Every structure is written in C-alpha cells, then in structure tokens.
Amino acid sequence: MKTRLFVLFGLYFFIIGCSQSTSPDNPDWVEDLIVRYKSEPLGNPPQSIWRYNYNGQIVYYVPPQCCDQFSTLYDEEGNILGAPDGGVTGDGDGSNTDFFTSRTDENLIWKDPRQ
C-alpha cells in the first residue's frame, strides 16, 4: 500500500512538473534564464519572458522588475540588444526606441507561476 501511494505521489508531481515545463522550441539560453529566475526570489511583478518579431528578427523581452530597473531585450542568440524601457526615466537606455511601436507577434514564453 505504501509503495502504491509513493508511486501515485511521484506520478502526480511528475505530471505537475511537466505541465509547467517550457517549450522545446526555446533556445537553450532561454531555458537557462528560466531556471535562473525560478531559483531567485519571486519578483514584483513576477518575472516573465516574451518573444516578438522586431526589425526582421526574433527577439526576447524581459520586462523590468520594480522601480527604476531596466528591461532587457535579447536577440535570438541571447545577446543583449539593450533596454527599451525602465530606469529612472522609464525610457530605458536609449536603445531600441521604436521597440514598442515596431514589435509584432507577441508570445508569452514564460511567466513565474509563484504567487
């Protein structure tokens, strides 16, 4: 009986873990970023990663966390393109100033499920 319960609980946690897994289409560096965010304290707002088409390429956008922090915009290879928003002025670092008006094909890749 104990063995059956152990197996059922193990199966339950496996299914729950799989339901929160991320897409196999994500680049490895995005998966690594998700693992890092999961290991950090819950952000305010919770961390999220978004994919867009921007200037003819796939990019990944991580919104800023809390006050005066920069967002991060990555290219498909994981190179930082800049911070389109956040910071003291809210306007980012001055790079990618047309990001919010030019981006298309919004897709939420991951959002921290913790409350």
Side-chain angles (χ1 to χ4, degrees), residues 19-20 34 37-38 42 46-48 110-115:
S19 70
Q20 294 180 358
I34 291 169
Y37 289 155
K38 285 180 176 181
L42 178 63
Q47 283 283 17
S48 60
W110 177 80
K111 183 176 181 181
D112 195 333
R114 297 176 292 173
Q115 296 293 328

Side-chain angles (χ1 to χ4, degrees), residues 38-58:
K38 285 180 176 181
S39 72
E40 295 175 350
L42 178 63
N44 182 22
Q47 283 283 17
S48 60
I49 302 172
W50 299 79
R51 184 176 60 222
Y52 296 94
N53 285 326
Y54 172 64
N55 290 341
Q57 64 178 333
I58 293 174

